[in-house]
């Protein structure tokens, strides 16, 4: 059996009040100082061009989607999240999506669709939040996926930059 | 047969066929655009170049589709010179080809796309603008022409000249002004236009009907047999996501249809796809037909037949040879008259190429099986004489005619096993049960020349249908003396 020898306390230690004051001062400086916790969701996470959020479709200035429903993203998607049906349009591009669905519950945010697209029509946005009360409403259709180009511009520039380097 | 050497292997080649066939038959890949086995060779695209040496002649690059087979030829399809020559001519072909693959219906089954990948020329060296021509020019009801995509292989021109022998297309203009056109922009006519989209090696001639309907790699393709006439052309049924049939294309079969099929067979599926299906088991109750279980319908049907004095089993000519065999067993086990409704041959519908004008795809198989053939009018009369009738097979109600069925006496006990719902209420109808249609079940149809055409299921049958073979087998075993279903029937029942 080992004997623990009690440490002799100095007078200052015996008084213990200075230590309480020191502890309180730390608490108080942290309380009124710069906070390091994030008030999510009021305060969203910062995103960068590298962030791969949910894929979104680019709407061009003329209000039409850039997508021509070629189905390459659908074929590239490893999670089988995308379903597309095409239709004819009078515009010179001839073909546009009639139905474009991404099952956001299947999507693994891999960005393969963005990489496959020959038309610069689908990009990984910085939108990360996903919540609803039922699964069906998380299968996003054309209306939920379309975003005007400026909303995606940062990512578009980043991807173009990468492609140029290659 | 002539002995030649292909890629270091001695093979037998048919001297009546060009060298490219000997290469293809022996597993050597030789790309080709203007050459098509079903058409005469012209040697205009030069993509099929291979290196040939013979005796003490030095090796040279020749177009395999215009070179006859000769004794002692040594062919190298993978020689550097051959690839080089192909690459050069590919570059010229691609010079004016638009970068259309994302919107082109041919993408995924286009040999220009495949060869461009294979030969690996991804950079474009030309800076001049490409030709600008008509992008969606309608050529009648069946075909759309995209002149920019055309590589001027002239397959379409030769097809029209050689197969239906109604020349309607021509390559007009010279040099870079050449393009495919019809005479004075007349629409195409004839019953074989659809084949143009199959012969065109690129997406220049595409089907209006299939335009933007699906990406071809999403289609599930199954071998089958065309139901539109007794020629029974071998076809491929292409289905999108287990749902609708999107396209039907000819499947090469030298014994039946060669490489072709008629437009009626190709496009006929639309009308049927739109028809409401009979996908339920229904029994007559207090308030008309009510939903019941399939086994209850079969029991009622067996009771009705065994209680009847003059039962009639009336089949449609769309039942398969296997179903006919079971039908005969059923008729033997209950002593019922077994017959098949056969419409007359319309000679106006016949042609000298494929169409027979006989709308019953399995007429020969069913008459050879010994089933009595009745015209629709005779069938209606036979129904009137019977006291219990089982009307079975896809389109059987339609063949007898809705009016004729409604006119039947109510005391007739009528049971319908069909794929399509009848147009309205039939007073004499006691029970009905849905069955799979020709794209959903396996079987065999015997065509007019005795060729056995295969049907393979291209998609799952809708819920609520039950295979006709299973129903006939169970009925036969209930009605046979033993009265107990065989082990095979129970197993089949369990797999449902
Ligand atoms: S990000 Fe990946 S998983 Fe999500 S839709 Fe695109 S390809 Fe599919
Ligand atoms: S790859 Fe691009 S153009 Fe093609 S379907 Fe997808 S988003 Fe549309
Ligand atoms: S339309 Fe098609 S088949 Fe006809 S010449 Fe052009 S590429 Fe050949
Ligand atoms: S395929 Fe031989 S020249 Fe065109």
């Amino acid at each position: 059996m080992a004997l623990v020898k009690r440490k002799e306390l100095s007078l200052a230690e015996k008084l213990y009040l200075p230590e309480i004051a020191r502890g309180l001062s730390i608490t108080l400086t942290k309380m009124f100082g710069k906070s390091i916790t994030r008030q999510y969701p009021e305060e969203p996470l910062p995103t960068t061009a590298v962030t791969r959020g949910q894929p979104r479709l680019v709407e061009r200035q003329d209000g039409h989607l850039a997508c021509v429903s070629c189905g390459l993203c659908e074929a590239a998607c490893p999670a089988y999240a995308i379903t597309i049906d095409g239709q004819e349009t009078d515009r010179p591009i001839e073909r546009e999506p009639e139905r474009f669905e991404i099952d956001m519950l299947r999507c693994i945010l891999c960005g393969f669709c963005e990489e496959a697209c020959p038309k610069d029509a689908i990009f990984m946005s910085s939108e990360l939040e996903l919540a609803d009360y039922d699964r069906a409403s998380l299968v996003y259709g054309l209306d939920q996926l379309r975003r005007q180009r400026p909303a995606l511009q940062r990512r578009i520039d980043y991807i173009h930059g990468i492609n140029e380097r290659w | 047969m002539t002995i030649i050497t292909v890629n270091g292997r001695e093979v037998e080649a048919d001297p009546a066929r060009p060298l490219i066939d000997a290469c293809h038959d022996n597993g050597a890949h030789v790309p080709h655009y203007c050459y098509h086995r079903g058409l005469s060779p012209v040697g205009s695209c030069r993509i099929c170049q291979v290196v040939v040496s013979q005796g003490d002649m030095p090796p040279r690059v020749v177009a395999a589709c215009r070179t006859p087979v000769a004794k002692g030829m040594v062919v190298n399809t993978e020689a550097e010179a051959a690839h080089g020559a192909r690459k050069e001519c590919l570059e010229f072909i691609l010079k004016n080809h638009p970068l259309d693959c994302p919107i082109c219906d041919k993408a995924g089954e286009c040999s220009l796309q495949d060869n461009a990948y294979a030969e690996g020329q991804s950079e474009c060296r030309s800076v001049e603008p490409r030709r600008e021509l008509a992008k969606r020019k309608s050529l009648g009801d069946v075909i759309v022409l995209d002149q920019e995509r055309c590589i001027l292989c002239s397959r379409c021109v030769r097809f029209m000249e050689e197969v239906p022998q109604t020349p309607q297309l021509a390559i007009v203009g010279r040099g870079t002004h050449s393009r495919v056109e019809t005479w004075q922009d007349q629409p195409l006519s004839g019953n074989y236009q659809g084949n143009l989209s199959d012969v065109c090696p690129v997406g220049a001639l595409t089907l209006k009907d299939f335009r933007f309907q699906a990406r071809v790699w999403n289609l599930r393709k199954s071998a089958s047999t065309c139901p539109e006439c007794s020629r029974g052309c071998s076809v491929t049924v292409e289905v999108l996501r287990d749902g609708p049939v999107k396209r039907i294309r000819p499947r090469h079969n030298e014994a039946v249809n060669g490489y072709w099929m008629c437009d009626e067979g190709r496009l006929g599926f639309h009308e049927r796809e739109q028809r409401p299906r009979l996908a339920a088991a229904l029994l007559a109750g207090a308030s008309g037909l009510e939903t019941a279980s399939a086994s209850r319908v079969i029991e009622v049907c067996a009771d009705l037949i065994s209680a009847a004095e003059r039962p009639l089993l009336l089949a449609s000519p769309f039942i398969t040879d296997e179903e006919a065999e079971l039908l005969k067993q059923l008729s033997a086990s209950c002593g019922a008259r077994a017959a098949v409704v056969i419409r007359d041959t319309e000679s106006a519908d016949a042609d000298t190429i494929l169409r027979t004008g006989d709308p019953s795809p399995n007429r020969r198989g069913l008459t050879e099986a010994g089933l009595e053939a009745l015209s629709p009018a005779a069938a209606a009369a036979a129904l009137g004489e019977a006291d219990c009738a089982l009307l079975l097979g896809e389109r059987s109600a339609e063949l007898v005619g809705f009016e004729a069925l409604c006119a039947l006496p109510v005391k007739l006990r009528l049971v319908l096993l069909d794929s399509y719902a009848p147009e309205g209420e039939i007073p004499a109808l006691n029970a009905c049960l849905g069955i799979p249609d020709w794209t959903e079940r396996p079987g065999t149809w015997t065509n007019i020349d005795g060729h056995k055409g295969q049907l393979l299921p291209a998609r799952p049958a809708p819920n609520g249908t039950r295979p006709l073979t299973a129903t006939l087998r169970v009925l036969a075993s209930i009605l046979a003396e033993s009265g107990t279903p065989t082990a095979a029937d129970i197993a089949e029942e369990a797999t449902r």
Side-chain angles (χ1 to χ4, degrees), chain B residues 397 400-408 423 426:
Chain B
V400 177
F402 178 64
E403 264 99 70
L405 288 176
C406 286
L408 290 173
E423 287 159 56
I426 299 171

Side-chain angles (χ1 to χ4, degrees), chain B residues 422-463:
Chain B
E423 287 159 56
E425 226 166 273
I426 299 171
L429 197 58
N430 271 272
C432 47
L433 180 58
I435 59 170
D437 75 6
W438 69 285
T439 61
E440 294 157 359
R441 66 181 201 271
T444 314
W445 281 339
T446 309
N447 88 342
I448 192 163
D449 303 317
H451 176 86
K452 301 270 184 211
Q454 280 282 311
L455 298 182
L456 288 177
R459 54 177 172 179
N463 282 337

